[in-house]
Amino acid sequence: MIMDGLDSVVHQPVRLRIMAALTELGPKDNVDFAYLKKRLNLTDGNLGSHLQTLETAGYLRVEKTFVDRRPRTYVSATAAGRFAFDRHVAALRAILHS
Amino acid sequence: MQLSPEDAARAIAAVEESRAAFRSALRANRGHLHLWLWGAIWTTMALLMEFSGETSVRHFPWLCLGGGLASFVIGRVQAAQVRVPVDRRFLGVLFAVVGFALLWPALLIRRAPTNELGFVYMGLVVMQAYIIAGIWFDTYLLWLGLLVTVLLLVGWWFVAPWFWLWIAVCCGGTLIGSGFYVRFLMR
């Protein structure tokens, strides 16, 4: 739900941290699930459920693949996700300065 | 969705904290490990030539092979954590330029007249690759490649009596120092 640029999907604290981290990557770069989990200090279940919510909203892309015959999950922010996150942060700053 | 300025401040603080932590983690995934590794190898090769004599040149291929394998492993581990799409055209250009620069002298000249000249030539070929990568991706590698190129040529033309010490300190040292810059100072 989006109101005045604030996005309730993005605003949830864990999802806000996930989007903040993913938008630090280049537009075509993506990050390993385990690496992201470790950096954000989250559990598998917690990160997985929030990634699913963000993926459903179209804000990130999840790709499952194999590296050296081991399953890996890679995550990246979509253009829509970057836009929503930037707009949300801009709205937060507007509130702060109002 | 209603937020107070305090809520907004907390959310922005969380964003900044997460960004800073992730940026710091990404810094650990940059090229500094390769620069430290190859700086140490250059320094080792040059110090071996300076203090153990000309026969030390027989260790060079093994040092370079070990360095190449270590670089490959570092690259694989880093690429598994953060995937950056590979530009195949860049790889093609790099292999063509470096391959030709190594292949034809090896076939046509066979052996450099002196170990010093051979080292300068190989070093210049590697720095050529750094410069190409720097131009292609707009990174620090351009400036590093130019700087070490100049240092190699200065060592060859003007510091011949202390050539290997010059290479160890100035060229190997520059690679190692630039690794520290990339890891800790570069944004």
Side-chain angles (χ1 to χ4, degrees), chain A residues 32 65-74, chain B residues 76 79-80 83:
Chain A
D32 176 41
T65 185
F66 284 86
V67 176
D68 295 333
R69 296 181 191 171
R70 289 184 193 158
R72 291 262 192 177
T73 300
Y74 286 96
Chain B
R76 289 280 292 184
R83 286 197 315 181

Side-chain angles (χ1 to χ4, degrees), chain B:
Chain B
M1 193 173 177
Q2 295 293 324
L3 288 181
S4 67
E6 290 75 25
D7 292 333
R10 267 195 295 276
I12 286 175
V15 166
E16 295 303 335
E17 191 184 329
S18 185
R19 274 180 171 162
F22 202 67
R23 214 178 284 147
S24 166
L26 290 177
R27 270 199 209 116
N29 247 23
R30 285 181 180 156
H32 59 281
L33 291 176
H34 300 282
L35 293 171
W36 286 338
L37 173 70
W38 286 100
I41 290 173
W42 277 41
T43 302
T44 303
M45 290 194 293
L47 291 178
L48 278 172
M49 291 300 280
E50 179 66 28
F51 295 110
S52 299
E54 295 286 310
T55 54
S56 304
V57 76
R58 68 179 186 275
H59 300 305
F60 283 17
W62 299 110
L63 283 166
C64 292
L65 183 65
L69 288 172
S71 270
F72 176 76
V73 170
I74 291 167
R76 289 280 292 184
V77 170
Q78 289 185 334
Q81 293 170 339
V82 178
R83 286 197 315 181
V84 178
V86 178
D87 186 334
R88 291 178 192 279
R89 183 172 288 187
F90 164 71
L91 289 180
V93 168
L94 199 64
F95 278 118
V97 171
V98 174
F100 270 47
L102 295 178
L103 179 66
W104 303 128
L107 285 177
L108 300 173
I109 303 172
R110 299 285 173 97
R111 190 170 171 80
T114 65
N115 290 327
E116 286 83 351
L117 187 59
F119 191 93
V120 168
Y121 181 76
M122 294 293 279
L124 290 174
V125 170
V126 173
M127 287 308 121
Q128 186 185 26
Y130 276 44
I131 290 168
I132 293 168
I135 293 169
W136 204 282
F137 297 114
D138 191 20
T139 68
Y140 62 93
L141 289 172
L142 170 63
W143 301 109
L144 179 59
L146 288 171
L147 176 61
V148 178
T149 295
V150 170
L151 291 171
L152 279 166
L153 295 174
V154 167
W156 172 247
W157 275 317
F158 303 112
V159 199
W162 305 284
F163 177 79
W164 293 112
L165 283 179
W166 174 269
I167 294 294
V169 174
C170 294
C171 297
T174 298
L175 290 175
I176 293 170
S178 63
F180 281 99
Y181 168 75
V182 168
R183 175 65 183 85
F184 297 109
L185 298 174
M186 200 174 82
R187 274 190 57 82

